[in-house]
Structure formats: structure tokens, C-alpha cells
Amino acid sequence: MDFNFKEDYILENDVVRLQPLQASDYEKLVAFSINEPDLWSFNANPPDSTENLKIYIEKALLQKEKLIEYPFIVFDKVNQKYAGCTRFYAINIEFKFLEIGYTWYGKEFQGTKLNKNCKYLLLEFAFEKIKMERVAFAANSKNERSINAMKSIGCVVEGISRNISTDAFGNRIDAIRLSIIKNEWFDSVKQNLKNKL
């Protein structure tokens, strides 16, 4: 299956549904910006206010129009609540790789099975539906929660990109780079992750 940026891809199982982010989703997410601004302390240009959330969504949808990113809103089917966002980005159809990131969840959804279910659906889609050869991840090198979550799903650490970006306070940061490649997904990562769901 070829990847089509205009297609409304919905990825779901019994725990979670990922659906394409839309401008109207602002109302579903704004409570996180108002009540949980510290969610994005490790990230540049975070949606940590009502105005910044509008900009965040506008930029995500613009990147989708440019055919380089595909953002999702995350719905927790167990609790019947919208939980956050994630996306495919740096999508390269020619060389068959992409990255998964811009992932955040409200505090009540952190430490639950939600993230592993999201990652399973995203990885399954990437490797099995659109036939990617490589899926990469990155995080602020100080964001231990995020790094541990990526390692726990089977990501291999590749190295550190030094002084690559900024955090929410404008401080320069290093980013850790991780990845999963196709044969790892089929040989072990898929089953190991499935066992954790």
C-alpha cells in the first residue's frame, strides 16, 4: 500500500484509536495546554498555552499539506477520553523511512498501556502496511521517561545528536537517536511488544 497524505488513516485496537488531527481538535486538547503546561518542558515550541496550541495544530496541519508529516490525535477507548497527540514525521517514501514523535499524553494517561498500544499500531502500520524499512525516534537526552519508554518497546540506541535543538526554556539540548529496522520488527520487536499489551 502506498502512503497517501490525503487518506484518513485510523489506527485502532481495543485500547486506543489514532485518527488524523484536525483543526477542530483544538477543543479536545486545550485543557492540557491550560492545566498541564509542564508536559512539554523538554520540547521546543510546545503547545503550553491556548495560543501556542493553536499554532502547534496549524503547523502540524501545514506540514501534512507539505507531505512530510502525518499527525494523529489519540483517543483512549478504555476511559473514553482524548489523551494527546503523536505523528509520523520526516517521512521519506523513496528510501522507505520515517520517524515517530511529537508524542505527548496528559498525566493521567502516562504510565498506562496507552503508549505501548499507540506505538504498536504505528509500527505495525509503518512496517506492514506502507512497507517502511526503518522507523526512527528521538528525544531530549535528559528526558529519561521518554527514553526508557522507547527502549522498552525495542528501540536500539544509535547515538547522540549534540546541541541540535532547544527545550521549552530556550536552553540548547542534545538529542538521543533510536530506531527499529524492518527485520528487527518481524524477528522480535513485534512479538515482544505485543506481549506487553
Side-chain angles (χ1 to χ4, degrees):
M1 178 176 80
D2 292 330
F3 189 74
N4 182 351
F5 285 87
K6 298 190 184 308
E7 184 83 22
D8 285 338
Y9 296 114
I10 295 176
L11 315 181
E12 66 181 322
N13 60 17
D14 292 341
V15 175
V16 65
R17 182 174 70 245
L18 286 76
Q19 59 198 53
L21 183 70
Q22 302 176 44
S24 58
D25 290 329
Y26 172 85
E27 296 298 334
K28 301 178 179 90
L29 298 171
V30 70
F32 297 113
S33 295
I34 295 168
N35 301 320
E36 302 182 40
D38 55 329
L39 287 177
W40 303 280
S41 59
F42 290 107
N43 305 99
N45 305 314
D48 57 356
S49 69
T50 55
E51 188 57 37
N52 286 345
L53 177 62
K54 285 179 185 170
I55 294 167
Y56 180 89
I57 292 174
E58 285 169 5
K59 281 185 177 178
L61 296 178
L62 181 61
Q63 295 294 78
K64 186 179 181 184
E65 284 180 25
K66 291 179 179 178
L67 311 183
I68 50 178
E69 296 185 2
Y70 194 98
F72 294 94
I73 186 170
V74 178
F75 183 71
D76 182 326
K77 291 170 75 172
V78 176
N79 295 299
Q80 292 291 298
K81 292 180 180 178
Y82 286 94
C85 288
T86 191
R87 75 181 78 163
F88 292 131
Y89 72 105
I91 299 167
N92 188 311
I93 302 299
E94 181 182 3
F95 294 109
K96 298 187 179 300
F97 67 81
L98 55 75
E99 302 200 25
I100 294 173
Y102 294 89
T103 303
W104 59 268
Y105 310 111
K107 288 180 180 175
E108 72 172 289
F109 307 98
Q110 296 175 11
T112 70
K113 297 287 186 184
L114 186 80
N115 184 53
K116 283 186 172 60
N117 278 274
C118 284
K119 293 300 189 292
Y120 183 89
L121 292 169
L122 290 164
L123 289 164
E124 180 183 52
F125 183 84
F127 287 120
E128 300 182 29
K129 300 290 191 273
I130 57 172
K131 309 300 184 187
M132 292 289 115
E133 293 285 334
R134 164 188 165 85
V135 174
F137 301 79
N140 183 321
S141 62
K142 294 180 181 177
N143 189 347
E144 291 183 17
R145 174 189 282 271
S146 182
I147 294 165
N148 289 335
M150 288 186 283
K151 288 180 179 177
S152 76
I153 66 169
C155 293
V156 174
V157 175
E158 295 183 328
I160 301 288
S161 297
R162 298 178 302 154
N163 200 27
I164 194 170
S165 185
T166 59
D167 63 16
F169 310 105
N171 303 309
R172 296 300 303 180
I173 64 157
D174 298 338
I176 188 168
R177 305 284 304 174
L178 308 93
S179 70
I180 298 169
I181 58 177
K182 184 174 74 172
N183 67 300
E184 293 166 345
W185 171 252
F186 287 107
D187 290 348
S188 62
V189 173
K190 179 179 180 179
Q191 190 58 52
N192 289 340
L193 183 51
K194 202 171 190 177
N195 292 343
K196 294 177 179 179
L197 301 185

